[in-house]
């Protein structure tokens, strides 16, 4: 960017006439020069010339584009003042006057230089602003040109889309019109099709009538021919009918005799079956060993030896530096042992006789005992699939299978089911999903007997095993379960499935009501863990009270503490009353649980040694109406 050339600075020469005259000539106005030439003198030094006001410096505005122009410098006005003339010969006075004027001119030159520098700076600034504005203007022009091009393109596209839209609208209107026409045609075709179907039906009906009339005519002809034969044979049939009536009377007598024989055989079989059970004892105990799961194959196992079908030996061996440190061996005998290879069907084969006793009219209780994670719930309820059904679903299947046989012998059965749990010493109805339930208390049926019932407990009548399985699944969802150290899904409550069997035989005027209680006890667990400590205390306390009741029965004490817990109170008819009881003690083979296993087997031994009164059949006779 070029700069404005600066004025040459004034040089100070030695005072001489020629230099003085040149300076005076350069600094004076035309009027002064003319007066000086005419008078050979100069105006006096007292001539006052108005000093030039320096131009103020530019100040930038808020934006670069808005710059205030510098204020114009005040014009220098020189007015000649007429003063006394200096004589031509007075060179000194003339010299002094010229010196004074030189000073004034020099001062003006300095002021002009300053103004020149300021104007030059402002010029550079304005030129830079102008160049920037030109560049920005060029960019804006390019952008404007691009925007105009885009606008033209968008406008063209918009016009094209507008035309397309108009064409699509017209096509859509055409399609709507065609659709309406097709709908009208379709409706008319439907009406014609319905009329066609109706006509076909009428034709078929008329064809059938015609065919039937032909057949009737043919039948009438045949009947007329056959009527003659029938009339001839009618007399013979009357004589045969008389003979048949005599035979029916004889056959009815034989049929009643056969029915009495079958009933007598069933009665003898039932008496023999229950006599065998009485000889074995009203309280029977079986032991089942749970096999390790796939995720438990690396756990250490204690030694377990099945001596025979009723005896097992367990032995804990502690090893230290690969040498035997100590040995402890324990032997237990029960009514049966189910090894880890025993299936659900094998277990139920030994339990089914108790279910049959319930069908014979006896009260039966089957309960599973053992520490948490020993397989109690699997034994009682089972898993997925019919092959893995537990005792509860297999029992109901057996009951409905036997109902058909009993019905042929004149028995009519009705089945009712209820489900409850004892959680933290509070009874809950598992068929009631409401959180706020009515209070459930254990009460006596009558003051003379030992039968119990639970108040406000919901009972559902079941017509098939499918109905019962549906109720069982609903009860399982409402049961209290939680994860513990020994079991990922441990039952934290005592669960009881009650099956009430009511039977009546109108011919023999007999009826009975029996109860089948299937109990899945909560798992006993060591109190060392702090997880769910409150539940563990209630569970261990109820199981401890059950042990006290078994000990009291074993030692024939006069007072049996049934009412110390809800569990023992509910099991009172099964342990010491009119009931047949079967206990399944479940254990596992893990070395960490050896002490819990040992306690479970000792408790089962005490239960097996209990002697209870003989169970009585709940059979009564009634008079016909």
């Amino acid at each position: 960017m070029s700069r404005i050339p600066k004025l040459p600075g004034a040089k100070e020469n030695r005072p001489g006439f020629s230099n003085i005259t040149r300076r005076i000539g350069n600094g004076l106005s035309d009027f002064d020069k003319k007066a000086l030439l005419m008078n050979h003198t100069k105006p006096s030094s007292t001539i006052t010339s108005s000093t030039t006001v320096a131009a103020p410096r530019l100040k930038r505005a808020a934006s670069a584009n808005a710059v205030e122009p510098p204020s114009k410098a005040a014009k220098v006005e020189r007015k000649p003042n007429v003063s006394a003339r200096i004589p031509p010969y007075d060179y000194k006075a003339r010299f002094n006057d010229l010196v004074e004027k030189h000073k004034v001119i020099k001062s003006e030159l300095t002021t002009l230089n300053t103004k020149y520098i300021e104007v030059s700076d402002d010029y550079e600034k304005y030129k830079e602003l102008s160049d920037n504005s030109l560049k920005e203007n060029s960019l804006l022009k390019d952008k404007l040109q691009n925007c105009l091009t885009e606008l033209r393109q968008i406008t063209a596209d918009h016009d094209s889309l507008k035309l397309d839209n108009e064409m699509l609208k017209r096509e859509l209107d055409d399609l709507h019109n065609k659709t309406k026409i097709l709908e009208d045609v379709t409706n008319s075709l439907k009406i014609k099709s319905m009329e066609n179907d109706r006509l076909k039906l009428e034709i078929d009906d008329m064809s059938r009538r015609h065919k039937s009339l032909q057949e009737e005519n043919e039948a009438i002809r045949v009947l007329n021919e056959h009527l003659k034969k029938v009339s001839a044979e009618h007399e013979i049939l009357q004589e045969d009918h008389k003979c048949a009536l005599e035979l029916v009377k004889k056959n009815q007598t034989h049929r009643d005799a056969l029915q009495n024989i079958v009933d007598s055989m069933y009665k003898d079989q039932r008496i023999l079956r229950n006599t065998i059970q009485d000889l074995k004892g009203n309280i029977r105990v079986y032991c089942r060993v749970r096999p390790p799961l796939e995720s438990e194959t690396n756990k250490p196992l204690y030694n377990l030896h099945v001596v025979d079908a009723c005896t097992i030996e367990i032995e804990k061996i502690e090893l230290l530096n690969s040498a035997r440190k100590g040995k402890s061996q324990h032997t237990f005998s029960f009514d049966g042992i189910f090894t880890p290879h025993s299936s659900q069907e094998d277990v139920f084969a030994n339990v089914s006789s108790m279910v049959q006793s319930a069908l014979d009219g006896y009260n039966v209780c089957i309960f599973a005992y053992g520490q948490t994670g020993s397989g109690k719930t699997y034994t009682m309820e089972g898993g997925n699939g019919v092959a893995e059904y537990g005792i509860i679903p297999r029992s109901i299947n057996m009951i409905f299978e036997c109902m058909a046989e009993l019905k042929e012998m004149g028995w009519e059965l009705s089945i009712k089911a209820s489900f409850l749990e004892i959680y933290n010493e509070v009874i809950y109805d598992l068929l009631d999903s409401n959180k706020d339930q009515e209070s459930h208390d254990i009460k006596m049926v009558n003051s003379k007997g030992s039968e119990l019932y639970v108040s406000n407990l919901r009972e559902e009548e079941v017509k098939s095993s499918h109905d019962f399985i549906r109720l069982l699944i609903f009860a399982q969802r409402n049961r209290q379960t939680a994860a513990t150290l020994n079991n990922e899904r441990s039952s934290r409550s005592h669960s009881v499935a009650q099956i009430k069997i009511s039977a009546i035989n109108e011919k023999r005027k007999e009826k009975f009501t029996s109860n089948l209680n299937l109990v899945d006890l909560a798992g006993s667990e060591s109190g060392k863990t702090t997880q769910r400590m409150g539940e563990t205390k209630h569970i261990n306390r109820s199981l401890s009270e059950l042990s006290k009741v078994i000990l009291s029965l074993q030692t024939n004490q006069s007072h049996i503490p049934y009412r110390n817990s809800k569990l023992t109170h509910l099991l009172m008819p099964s342990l010491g009353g009119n009931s047949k009881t079967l206990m399944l003690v479940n254990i596992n083979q893990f070395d960490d649980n050896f002490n819990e296993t040992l306690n479970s087997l000792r408790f089962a031994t005490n239960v097996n040694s209990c002697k209870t009164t003989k169970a009585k059949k709940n059979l009564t006779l009634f008079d016909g109406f």
Side-chain angles (χ1 to χ4, degrees):
M1 191 176 290
S2 63
R3 296 179 60 88
I4 300 174
K6 294 184 179 181
L7 294 174
K11 295 181 180 179
E12 293 185 2
N13 297 325
R14 293 182 63 184
F17 183 78
S18 61
N19 292 333
I20 292 172
T21 304
R22 191 180 296 112
R23 291 179 183 178
I24 292 172
N26 292 332
L28 295 178
S29 65
D30 294 338
F31 179 79
D32 291 335
K33 291 178 181 179
K34 188 176 182 181
L36 183 61
L37 291 173
M38 291 178 65
N39 298 324
H40 302 286
T41 65
K42 284 187 66 177
S44 175
S45 61
T46 59
I47 296 174
T48 59
S49 61
S50 59
T51 59
T52 304
V53 181
R57 297 186 65 84
L58 293 175
K59 295 183 179 178
R60 289 186 179 271
S63 64
N65 295 329
V67 180
E68 295 182 0
S71 62
K72 295 181 178 180
K75 295 182 179 179
V76 180
E77 297 180 359
R78 292 186 178 93
K79 293 182 180 181
N81 294 329
V82 181
S83 60
R85 293 184 177 180
I86 301 172
Y89 54 86
D90 193 356
Y91 290 104
K92 185 176 182 180
R94 291 173 64 186
F95 176 77
N96 291 332
D97 184 59
L98 289 173
V99 169
E100 291 297 330
K101 287 185 177 183
H102 175 262
K103 289 181 180 179
V104 173
I105 292 170
K106 187 177 182 180
S107 175
E108 290 179 357
L109 179 61
T110 303
T111 303
L112 289 174
N113 285 332
T114 304
K115 290 174 65 179
Y116 171 78
I117 293 170
E118 293 177 356
V119 171
S120 177
D121 294 337
D122 292 338
Y123 171 78
E124 294 294 333
K125 292 178 182 177
Y126 283 117
K127 189 173 183 181
E128 184 177 359
L129 287 174
S130 177
D131 294 338
N132 292 335
S133 298
L134 289 173
K135 290 181 181 179
E136 186 175 358
N137 187 21
S138 178
L139 292 174
L140 291 175
K141 283 182 179 180
D142 295 337
K143 288 183 179 179
L144 179 60
Q145 190 65 30
N146 294 332
C147 290
L148 289 173
T149 305
E150 292 178 358
L151 180 60
R152 292 191 190 97
Q153 183 64 32
I154 292 171
T155 303
D157 294 340
H158 178 263
D159 295 338
S160 177
L161 291 173
K162 193 173 182 180
L163 292 173
D164 293 341
N165 188 25
E166 292 294 333
M167 295 177 64
L168 289 174
K169 281 185 178 179
R170 292 175 184 175
E171 292 178 358
L172 183 62
D173 293 337
D174 294 339
L175 289 175
H176 281 308
N177 295 329
K178 291 180 181 179
T179 303
K180 290 181 180 179
I181 295 171
L182 289 175
E183 287 179 353
D184 296 336
V185 173
T186 303
N187 292 330
S188 63
L189 289 175
K190 285 182 179 178
I191 294 170
K192 290 181 180 180
S193 177
M194 292 174 65
E195 291 178 356
N196 190 21
D197 293 338
R198 182 176 59 79
L199 291 174
K200 283 183 179 180
L201 292 174
E202 291 179 357
I203 292 171
D204 293 339
D205 189 26
M206 293 177 68
S207 299
R208 284 194 299 271
R209 288 181 182 178
H210 178 69
K211 189 176 181 179
S212 64
L213 288 174
Q214 288 180 345
E215 291 175 353
E216 286 177 2
N217 291 330
E218 183 68 22
I220 290 171
R221 187 181 63 80
V222 174
L223 286 173
N224 287 330
E225 293 178 357
H226 188 66
L227 183 61
K228 296 178 182 179
K229 297 179 182 179
V230 171
S231 59
E233 295 175 356
H234 180 66
E235 296 178 357
I236 300 172
L237 290 174
Q238 285 182 346
E239 295 178 359
D240 293 339
H241 180 66
K242 292 179 182 179
C243 296
L245 289 175
E246 294 178 358
L247 290 174
V248 166
K249 290 180 180 179
K250 293 180 181 179
N251 288 333
Q252 184 66 33
T253 304
H254 290 301
R255 184 178 179 182
D256 293 339
L258 289 173
Q259 184 65 39
N260 291 331
I261 292 172
V262 171
D263 292 342
S264 178
M265 290 176 63
Y266 174 74
K267 185 177 181 180
D268 293 340
Q269 181 185 9
R270 185 172 55 193
I271 293 172
L272 180 61
R273 183 169 53 242
N274 288 283
T275 301
I276 293 173
Q277 289 187 3
D278 292 339
L279 292 174
K280 291 182 179 180
N282 286 337
I283 297 181
R284 302 171 67 183
V285 179
Y286 289 86
C287 177
R288 186 178 190 184
V289 183
R290 178 176 78 83
L293 302 176
E294 293 181 359
S295 59
E296 300 170 337
T297 54
N298 295 328
K299 288 187 176 182
L301 306 178
Y302 59 81
N303 290 339
L304 187 145
H305 176 60
V306 180
V307 179
D308 53 35
C310 299
T311 307
I312 61 170
E313 291 180 353
I314 62 173
E315 180 182 12
K316 181 177 178 64
I317 300 177
E318 297 178 354
L319 299 178
L320 182 61
N321 296 327
S322 301
R324 179 175 295 184
K325 182 180 178 182
K327 181 179 179 181
S328 59
Q329 184 174 346
H330 305 273
T331 304
F332 299 93
S333 296
F334 302 106
D335 293 289
I337 304 296
F338 300 112
T339 64
H341 303 289
S342 299
S343 63
Q344 296 280 68
E345 186 177 359
D346 297 334
V347 175
F348 187 73
N350 290 271
V351 175
S352 59
S353 59
M354 303 294 285
V355 181
Q356 184 63 50
S357 295
L359 289 169
D360 294 339
Y362 293 90
N363 292 333
V364 176
C365 177
I366 302 173
F367 67 94
Y369 179 88
Q371 72 172 115
T372 180
S374 58
K376 301 182 299 300
T377 303
Y378 178 78
T379 299
M380 297 302 295
E381 298 178 0
N384 298 325
V386 179
E388 294 189 10
Y389 272 4
I391 292 175
I392 296 177
R394 289 178 185 271
S395 298
I396 199 67
N397 287 339
M398 177 180 174
I399 290 172
F400 279 100
E401 288 174 0
C402 294
M403 281 178 65
E405 299 177 1
L406 293 173
K407 191 173 183 179
E408 293 179 356
M409 290 183 286
W411 289 95
E412 294 291 335
L413 274 73
S414 64
I415 309 297
K416 291 184 179 180
S418 60
F419 297 86
L420 64 89
E421 71 171 350
I422 302 175
Y423 177 68
N424 290 346
E425 286 300 307
V426 179
I427 297 177
Y428 294 95
D429 187 356
L430 292 179
L431 296 182
D432 187 359
S433 58
N434 296 325
K435 294 182 179 180
D436 299 329
Q437 297 186 7
E438 297 181 6
S439 60
H440 303 283
D441 299 322
I442 302 174
K443 297 182 180 181
M444 302 290 293
V445 175
N446 53 59
S447 59
K448 296 181 180 180
S450 60
E451 298 295 325
L452 300 175
Y453 74 97
V454 179
S455 63
N456 301 321
L457 189 63
R458 182 179 176 182
E459 281 188 347
E460 292 285 342
E461 185 174 359
V462 291
K463 298 293 185 180
S464 63
S465 58
H466 177 73
D467 294 341
F468 183 86
I469 297 298
R470 178 177 55 82
L471 295 176
L472 176 62
I473 294 173
F474 183 80
Q476 287 174 344
R477 293 175 180 173
N478 292 332
R479 189 179 178 187
Q480 296 287 340
T481 59
T484 64
L485 294 180
N486 296 326
N487 191 0
E488 187 179 16
R489 191 177 183 273
S490 174
S491 301
R492 310 308 295 161
S493 63
H494 307 300
S495 173
V496 182
Q498 295 181 332
I499 302 175
K500 186 176 181 180
I501 304 173
S502 299
I504 185 170
N505 192 322
E506 294 287 349
K507 294 181 180 179
R508 302 178 61 178
K509 306 301 179 184
E510 294 179 353
K511 64 179 180 180
F512 68 85
T513 300
S514 61
N515 293 312
L516 175 60
N517 293 326
L518 304 168
V519 185
D520 179 15
L521 297 179
S524 61
E525 190 174 2
S526 175
K528 295 179 181 180
T529 175
T530 58
Q531 294 182 346
R532 309 182 75 87
M533 198 63 180
E535 294 176 353
T536 304
K537 287 182 179 179
H538 283 289
I539 292 170
N540 291 340
R541 178 180 173 274
S542 61
L543 296 177
S544 176
E545 295 296 334
L546 180 61
S547 301
K548 291 180 182 179
V549 168
I550 297 299
L551 182 62
S552 300
L553 290 171
Q554 187 180 9
T555 56
N556 295 323
Q557 293 185 8
S558 59
H559 173 68
I560 310 298
Y562 289 114
R563 297 178 182 269
N564 286 355
S565 72
K566 293 290 179 65
L567 175 63
T568 54
H569 194 186
L570 189 65
L571 294 179
M572 182 176 68
S574 303
L575 296 175
N578 181 28
S579 177
K580 295 185 177 184
T581 304
L582 185 144
M583 173 183 173
L584 277 161
V585 56
N586 294 80
I587 62 174
N588 56 41
Q589 203 176 344
F590 302 130
D591 190 64
D592 295 340
N593 302 328
F594 181 82
N595 292 330
E596 290 290 334
T597 300
L598 190 61
N599 292 333
S600 298
L601 293 174
R602 287 172 177 170
F603 175 76
T605 302
N606 294 333
V607 173
N608 199 25
S609 63
C610 289
K611 303 297 180 182
T612 60
T613 59
K614 182 179 178 180
K616 297 179 181 180
K617 184 179 179 181
N618 300 323
L619 183 66
T620 57
L621 300 175
F622 66 94
D623 296 330
F625 295 101

